Amino acid sequence: MQFPRYVLVPAPGDTARHALALCKDVAGLFAEPARPARVRYELRGCEPRGELSRAVTQAVVEGTAPFGTLVVDLHGTQWTLADTRVLGMRGDVVTVEAAGEPRRTHHSADPVPCGNLIRVTRAAPEEETHTDVTFVGCSPRGELRDALAAGAEEFREVRYQGLTRIGNHHHEGEAGRITGWDTSARHRGLLDLTLSFPRTRLVPPATGEIWDLFWQSRPTEPGTWKRFSGAARGEWLDRAAAHGSYGAPELVPGATYHLDGADIVDEDSFHCALGETVLGPGRCFRAGAPGAIGEELSGATVVWHRADVARACLGVLPYRGRRPATFQELVDALTDAGVRLVLD
């Protein structure tokens, strides 16, 4: 198949190692994802220590305690619970509530050893947690092709990868079970495959638009990144970085760059705007840290027009993990690296 945009692949732990289907397009994938349901678990045979021990003590006194990401070690296998709250402890059983299902992880620095992890909350029916997504114009391969030829009514869980025009994959996610197939009305000789797809794994429409913009090469219209906000700007930067530096102009020592700061309202928009100013549309610096970018621009002059916008917007937010850089931290990182910065 020439220029497929998606490929279905085996799920983790599947013995198959080959692509299961190449697909021209997809329908139903791009919609606002559902929030993961809150699920209660019991950690049995648990030995709380460190942060978890402190959270258990707080929960016993106050009824609940925020914990964040919790990694549990079950006989050498590690599982991650996201956005966790500790609800209490009785005997050697710690009760927690987390967002969604536990996910397999590897090599966590400080997992909590437990004998078992038991789900207490009853699972919702599949019709509430999944929706139909159809991969259009597919060419089945291997075991999937054999299953279809044998008349099987469904196929086990798979994952999908989004592809660029040259065949590199830029995204991989859970796709669910293949529940039906039919002759494609749009693509002669190919099939449309319908999957029972997790609602929490749907892709925001803005992300799909960014994938389209970067599918063949990179956007060439200045300011295209300004269409997107929030998490979509992070996706824009990921796609811009993935396309590499081929064709970018060389940095000229002592050059002067004029940075339009009218739309710099967060750290991602700073990286989008600075990357476009120096390297051109659809580009960004591969090194994300402001200090590393400053080292690449050392000796250059950056005139930051409308710096008042960033000064007002880039403050310190109450993040639990890494917080965004403040305006002054961006300024200091650039100037400390040898950039002459003029705030206009």
Side-chain angles (χ1 to χ4, degrees):
M1 178 186 294
Q2 190 174 30
F3 307 135
R5 301 192 70 156
Y6 299 93
V7 57
L8 300 182
V9 298
D14 197 318
T15 56
R17 292 290 181 268
H18 52 267
L20 296 171
L22 299 176
C23 304
K24 294 275 192 183
D25 208 346
V26 68
L29 175 63
F30 300 107
E32 290 304 324
R35 288 177 173 270
R38 301 293 297 175
V39 182
R40 186 169 295 192
Y41 297 93
E42 289 182 352
L43 311 181
R44 298 183 179 178
C46 189
E47 302 175 13
R49 58 193 184 195
E51 290 293 329
L52 182 59
S53 177
R54 286 187 284 273
V56 166
T57 301
Q58 180 181 345
V60 169
V61 175
E62 301 179 8
T64 181
F67 190 82
T69 300
L70 172 63
V71 181
V72 180
D73 187 313
L74 302 178
H75 310 290
T77 302
Q78 297 181 4
W79 297 89
T80 296
L81 295 171
D83 192 17
T84 309
R85 296 190 71 85
V86 178
L87 303 182
M89 182 173 184
R90 177 173 295 180
D92 65 350
V93 178
V94 178
T95 303
V96 301
E97 185 183 76
E101 303 291 333
R103 294 192 174 273
R104 179 79 177 269
T105 190
H106 301 278
H107 310 303
S108 174
D110 191 24
V112 177
C114 291
N116 209 344
L117 174 64
I118 303 297
R119 178 181 177 131
V120 178
T121 305
R122 181 178 299 176
E126 186 171 307
E127 56 266 26
E128 295 181 11
T129 60
H130 289 64
T131 187
D132 284 348
V133 169
T134 301
F135 285 84
V136 178
C138 298
S139 173
R141 298 183 169 195
E143 293 178 57
L144 177 57
R145 179 184 57 206
D146 295 341
L148 298 183
E153 295 183 359
E154 63 177 42
F155 192 78
R156 61 182 181 271
E157 290 194 1
V158 299
R159 294 176 69 81
Y160 77 99
Q161 295 176 347
L163 303 178
T164 65
R165 190 174 186 274
I166 62 174
N168 294 330
H169 89 266
H170 57 75
H171 175 82
E172 181 172 327
E174 179 184 348
R177 292 180 298 110
I178 299 176
T179 56
W181 44 81
D182 201 355
T183 301
S184 179
R186 292 167 47 189
H187 302 280
R188 184 177 178 182
L190 300 177
L191 299 179
D192 294 343
L193 303 176
T194 299
L195 286 77
S196 179
F197 199 97
R199 294 180 185 273
T200 57
R201 304 292 292 179
L202 293 172
V203 178
T207 298
E209 186 179 349
I210 292 169
W211 290 357
D212 286 342
L213 287 168
F214 281 93
W215 179 67
Q216 183 165 344
S217 55
R218 66 176 78 243
T220 57
E221 180 183 347
T224 307
W225 63 269
K226 298 177 186 179
R227 300 182 199 170
F228 308 101
S229 60
R233 283 191 178 154
E235 183 67 27
W236 173 279
L237 290 170
D238 287 344
R239 300 280 63 75
H243 273 264
S245 58
Y246 177 79
E250 292 188 10
L251 301 181
V252 180
T256 297
Y257 301 99
H258 290 268
L259 175 63
D260 181 359
D263 295 284
I264 298 179
V265 295
D266 55 24
E267 188 176 356
D268 282 345
S269 54
F270 165 78
H271 288 295
C272 289
L274 184 61
E276 180 171 293
T277 295
V278 177
L279 302 173
R283 298 185 182 276
C284 71
F285 288 92
R286 292 186 69 85
I293 295 173
E295 291 177 4
E296 292 193 53
L297 290 174
S298 183
T301 297
V302 175
V303 182
W304 190 337
H305 301 283
R306 293 300 312 275
D308 59 301
V309 174
R311 191 190 300 275
C313 294
L314 273 68
V316 179
L317 300 177
Y319 274 54
R320 178 175 174 82
R322 176 193 175 277
R323 61 169 175 78
T326 65
F327 172 78
Q328 193 58 49
E329 287 170 340
L330 292 176
V331 169
D332 292 343
L334 292 176
T335 54
D336 289 349
V339 178
R340 181 173 179 268
L341 196 60
V342 179
L343 303 180
D344 182 10

